[in-house]
């Protein structure tokens, strides 16, 4: 497409996969049987995106327990009582707490990517957890014999290896999920926590060449889980100038659910680095109503009033099911929204003469 468009990452798991996960949790099927259902869900996801005409594919995180905690599968040095993330509707998610070191990833995203590339010749994006989010695993009162700085050194080495593994495996783009960025401003309005998280992510990004960073993107959003958010009330104007300090080649921004996109896009235009590309969200995964292609087109045209066309792309506001157990939106609705994004982006490109 003349205006690039990409999915963010996660999609609602298939009905068969939801059933298999329950069966696995109850001990009724083994790891191999669950893996077979996951593989079928991945193949189905890639096939459906390809049939819709998506120029870039994702595996929909079908084999991940969540977009946040998948690296922890197989790592045993954890306790269940970590940081609690509250959502506006009253539900919450609790991260694990690191209980012993050294910290190592149990699973890396390049393993998912290599599986996906067996099913398609089209470009495939790899989505990875940003080290900033995983840094929250370290307990506030420290860990005997394993200082925080040693943990961070280990975390950054693991993150670098994962990103590099995805690039080496042929990822179209490696996208870091930085959903905790806006939440950091809610927890610490001074911006100190966010500055620390940005600096931590940059410690990884700066290990890559300029050419490699051109294939690395960052996605930020106010949380998208069970139809709710954790930080939508935080003003983007407070976040974006700090976010764009990240040494990434592209940024994926939730925008469809913003009440005043013109104002926010003005902030984007005034603070985005000259060498960076921005993908604006044009579908809202938290809204069960499917946008029409014309609504999507109009959102793109609004963005085009503020941003150079050669630096503008479109995306969904967020993943459609960041956690495997999130069933707030149906799988069919998610694919319908993606179809609307594709058709609407095409219409905007025609209207803009591209």
């Amino acid at each position: 497409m003349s205006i690039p468009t990409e999915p963010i990452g996660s999609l609602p798991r298939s009905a068969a996969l939801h059933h298999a996960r329950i069966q696995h949790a109850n001990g009724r099927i083994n790891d191999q049987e669950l893996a077979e259902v996951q593989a079928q869900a991945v193949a189905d996801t890639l096939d459906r995106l390809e049939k819709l005409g998506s120029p870039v594919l994702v595996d929909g995180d079908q084999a991940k327990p969540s977009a946040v905690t998948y690296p922890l599968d197989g790592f045993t040095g954890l306790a269940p009582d970590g940081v609690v993330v509250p959502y506006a509707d009253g539900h919450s998610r609790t991260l694990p707490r690191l209980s012993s070191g050294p910290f190592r990833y149990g699973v890396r995203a390049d393993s998912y990517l290599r599986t996906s590339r067996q099913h398609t010749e089209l470009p495939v994006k790899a989505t990875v957890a940003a080290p900033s989010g995983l840094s929250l695993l370290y307990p506030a009162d420290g860990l005997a014999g394993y200082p925080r700085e040693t943990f961070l050194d280990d975390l950054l080495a693991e993150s670098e290896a994962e990103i590099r593994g995805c690039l080496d495996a042929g990822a179209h783009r490696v996208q870091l999920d930085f959903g905790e960025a806006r939440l950091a401003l809610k927890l610490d309005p001074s911006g100190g926590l966010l500055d620390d998280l940005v600096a931590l992510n940059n410690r990884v990004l700066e290990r890559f060449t300029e050419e490699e960073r051109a294939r690395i993107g960052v996605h930020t959003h106010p949380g998208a889980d069970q139809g709710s958010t954790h930080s939508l009330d935080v003003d983007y104007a407070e976040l974006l100038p700090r976010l764009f300090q990240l040494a990434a080649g592209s940024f994926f921004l939730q925008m469809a659910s913003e009440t005043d996109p013109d104002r926010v896009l003005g902030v984007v235009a005034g603070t985005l680095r000259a060498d960076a590309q921005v993908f604006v969200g044009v579908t809202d995964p938290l809204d069960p109503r499917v946008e029409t292609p014309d609504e999507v087109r109009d959102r793109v045209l609004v963005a085009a009033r503020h941003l150079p066309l050669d630096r503008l792309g479109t995306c969904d506001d967020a993943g459609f099911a960041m956690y495997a157990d999130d069933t707030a939106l149906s799988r069919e609705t998610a694919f319908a929204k993606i179809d609307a994004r594709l058709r609407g982006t095409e219409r905007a490109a025609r209207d803009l003469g591209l």
Side-chain angles (χ1 to χ4, degrees):
M1 291 187 180
S2 51
I3 296 178
T5 187
E6 298 182 10
I8 287 299
S10 65
L11 283 158
R13 280 48 167 188
S14 68
L17 181 50
H18 276 298
H19 178 69
R21 288 179 58 82
I22 294 171
Q23 295 288 92
H24 183 263
N26 292 332
R28 294 173 184 163
I29 64 173
N30 59 34
D31 291 350
Q32 181 57 39
E33 290 170 311
L34 175 61
E36 290 172 0
V37 181
Q38 290 172 333
Q40 292 167 0
V42 167
D44 177 70
T45 298
L46 295 166
D47 181 63
R48 293 186 67 170
L49 288 172
E50 188 165 346
K51 287 177 177 175
L52 288 177
S54 182
V56 176
L57 309 185
V58 290
D59 69 1
D61 290 349
Q62 299 298 287
K64 291 180 180 178
S66 85
V68 179
T69 61
Y70 71 87
L72 307 179
D73 272 8
F75 178 69
T76 57
L78 298 168
D81 56 341
V83 172
V84 177
V85 180
Y87 285 76
D89 66 352
H91 88 276
S92 63
R93 295 284 185 176
T94 303
L95 296 177
R97 171 178 57 83
L98 190 71
S99 59
S100 65
F103 177 70
R104 298 290 185 269
Y105 282 16
V107 177
R108 290 178 179 164
D110 57 291
S111 64
Y112 302 116
L113 175 64
R114 293 177 194 278
T115 298
S116 296
R117 297 200 67 210
Q118 294 173 9
H119 295 282
T120 182
E121 297 297 321
L122 290 179
V124 181
K125 172 192 281 189
T127 58
V128 304
S132 52
L134 293 171
S135 72
L136 302 177
L137 301 176
Y138 193 83
D141 55 355
L143 202 57
Y146 193 49
R148 178 176 174 79
E149 278 308 312
T150 303
F151 161 71
L152 292 179
D153 287 342
D154 289 342
L155 169 60
L156 295 176
E158 291 294 295
S159 179
E160 178 189 2
E162 178 179 53
I163 296 169
R164 202 169 294 284
C166 290
L167 292 173
D168 291 345
H172 161 75
R173 192 185 312 275
V174 182
Q175 177 187 287
L176 278 67
D177 183 12
F178 193 20
E180 64 278 5
R182 210 157 168 174
L183 179 62
L185 277 174
K186 187 168 187 174
L187 297 174
D188 177 14
S190 76
L193 176 58
L194 176 58
D195 288 341
D196 289 345
L197 297 181
V198 167
L200 182 64
N201 288 336
N202 266 337
R203 285 173 63 183
V204 168
L205 293 170
E206 289 165 357
R207 300 181 182 193
F208 295 88
T209 67
E210 184 177 346
E211 292 75 16
E212 289 169 333
R213 289 198 298 270
R215 293 170 57 199
I216 300 175
V218 174
H219 171 229
T220 191
H221 56 89
D225 182 43
Q226 298 181 13
S228 187
T229 64
H230 53 52
S231 53
L232 186 59
D233 53 338
V234 174
D235 190 348
Y236 245 151
E238 298 297 319
L239 168 64
L240 292 175
R242 291 180 167 98
L243 181 76
F244 294 148
Q245 292 174 14
L246 287 167
S250 54
F251 295 89
F252 295 78
L253 306 180
Q254 161 265 342
M255 195 67 65
S257 57
E258 284 296 313
T259 56
D260 190 355
D262 267 306
R263 184 183 69 86
V264 175
L265 287 163
V267 177
V268 174
T271 54
L272 183 68
R273 294 196 326 270
D275 61 340
Q277 185 173 30
V278 62
F279 290 74
V280 297
V282 291
T283 60
D284 182 1
L286 300 182
D287 185 353
R289 187 185 67 84
V290 177
E291 294 85 353
T292 68
D294 283 349
E295 286 177 297
V296 170
R297 175 203 60 199
D298 292 346
R299 287 171 177 170
V300 180
L301 295 179
V302 169
R305 294 203 299 262
H306 297 270
L307 301 168
L309 296 182
D310 61 349
R311 298 168 63 199
L312 173 63
T314 67
C315 61
D316 310 300
D317 264 9
F320 290 94
M322 192 168 74
Y323 292 88
D325 63 358
D326 185 356
T327 58
L329 198 75
S330 75
R331 188 166 169 85
E332 295 306 316
T333 298
F335 280 111
K337 284 176 170 281
I338 289 171
D339 186 55
R341 169 171 53 79
L342 296 171
R343 305 287 80 78
T345 301
E346 287 178 337
R347 294 183 187 186
R350 287 198 300 267
D351 287 359
L352 292 166
L354 300 176

